[in-house]
Amino acid sequence: LDNTLNDVAGLHPFVKSVSVVPVGITRYREGLYQLTPFDKDESIRVLEQVQKAQEKFLAKMATRFVYAADEFYVKADISVPSADEYEGYPQIENGVGMIRSFTDEFLEALDCMAPDKDCRASLVTGYAAEKMLKELKCEAERRYPNVFIDVIPVKNEFFGGEVSVSGLITGSDIVRGLEGIKLRNKVIIPDSMLRHGTNVFLDNMTVEEVSEKIGAEVVPCPCEGHELWEKIIS
């Protein structure tokens, strides 16, 4: 990793930034090279390695240049960096810095928009975002007694249990994961679960089909903190 980062940094500024992301391991790996997911200790070591590289590049190129994926912080159980350390989020399209950006947006929205009625919602997510959403739920309910939020993490059976990001949760995963759970009057999902520009999940189920099967309205929401708070209180 050090060699790769040094080689790519030699192409700066034509290469503007790099993200370090853990390999995604699905259950569809028959006949392929044996790979294992990162555990907590390994994730901590990766973050330490990335931080050392950032310090070196910051001194040399006036930019941290390399950023660790949010998954490493989740697996390591370490708080994500401040917004300043992401330098404008150059890798956010790869989900790098999403937790920090989403959290800051949501807390800002809490300050700007107060609910004027009782608001109830169930938030469906992958396990990677569970801790963040539960912390935001607690803060929202602390500030506003008329807000009631359930955070429901769903296991990814379609691609395999090692896949924890919300964007790869399918409609059948949601139906299976919500079975027997009492839901609020609307179920909010990140729209990253859907094929771009459609209402179709990766397993070809539609939002309407999932709504019918779980007996509650499914509401897709952009992956932005302001948007989520608006959906909760609308």
Side-chain angles (χ1 to χ4, degrees), residues 38-48 72 75-78:
F38 285 86
D39 61 21
K40 180 176 181 177
D41 290 340
E42 290 166 340
S43 297
I44 290 173
R45 289 200 296 271
V46 169
L47 292 175
E48 290 173 345
F72 281 120
K75 287 179 177 287
D77 196 22
I78 293 175

Side-chain angles (χ1 to χ4, degrees), residues 197-218:
T198 75
N199 68 337
V200 181
F201 292 90
L202 293 177
D203 60 355
N204 293 322
M205 289 188 72
T206 66
V207 169
E208 291 76 16
E209 288 171 338
V210 173
S211 295
E212 182 178 353
K213 288 182 180 296
I214 67 174
E217 180 188 11
V218 174

Side-chain angles (χ1 to χ4, degrees), residues 158-211:
F158 189 86
F159 288 105
E162 294 296 339
V163 177
S164 62
V165 295
S166 297
L168 294 179
I169 296 291
T170 65
S172 56
D173 290 325
I174 293 174
V175 173
R176 188 184 304 108
L178 300 188
E179 185 176 1
I181 296 178
K182 185 176 181 179
L183 301 170
R184 302 292 184 179
N185 59 351
K186 58 184 171 183
V187 174
I188 301 176
I189 64 168
D191 64 2
S192 59
M193 292 182 180
L194 306 174
R195 299 179 190 273
H196 182 68
T198 75
N199 68 337
V200 181
F201 292 90
L202 293 177
D203 60 355
N204 293 322
M205 289 188 72
T206 66
V207 169
E208 291 76 16
E209 288 171 338
V210 173
S211 295

